[in-house]
Amino acid sequence: MSIRIHEERCIGCGRCTEACPGNLLFLSVKGKAQIRTVEDCWGCTACMKECPVSAIGYFLGADIGGRGGTMTIERDGHFYHWRVAQPGRDDVVMTIDRQNANQY
Ligand code: SF4
Ligand code: SF4
């Protein structure tokens, strides 16, 4: 399990680099977020919750029943929309109050 950074969406704000408890993220010389060692990511999703442009996705591999899908988080005022996209299926969206986001 790990994140995937969509470079084309990243605006280089650096919020994810400050949020990662493992100090795994940094800004490249191009000003885009990158992960140092993807195998060290334990999927806490802190970086995803901080990203203002949904540039970080979470890969849902077969090891956790994810069928190769991706989860992204969209910020919307007081809410997060957690979107799970799987090949060949409709997206599933869960909306959660940001104040309660760490309960899930
Ligand atoms: S999911 Fe957690 S551990 Fe992985 S890069 Fe993001 S903040 Fe760091
Ligand atoms: S929080 Fe999002 S936009 Fe900001 S540097 Fe990280 S990936 Fe890029």
Side-chain angles (χ1 to χ4, degrees), residues 1-3 10 13-14 19 22 26 34-36 38 43 45 51 54-56 58 62 69 73 75 88:
M1 82 177 113
S2 182
I3 60 162
C10 176
C13 69
F26 66 100
Q34 288 190 342
I35 188 164
R36 293 179 212 283
V38 75
T45 73
C51 182
S54 302
I56 305 176
Y58 186 83
I73 300 175
R75 294 165 68 113

Side-chain angles (χ1 to χ4, degrees), residues 8-45:
E8 71 285 359
R9 290 189 201 164
C10 176
I11 58 173
C13 69
R15 289 188 198 180
C16 59
T17 66
E18 294 172 13
C20 179
N23 194 27
L24 301 178
L25 301 168
F26 66 100
L27 291 181
S28 71
V29 291
K30 292 191 292 182
K32 303 286 185 178
Q34 288 190 342
I35 188 164
R36 293 179 212 283
T37 46
V38 75
E39 61 273 19
D40 288 337
C41 170
W42 61 92
C44 72
T45 73

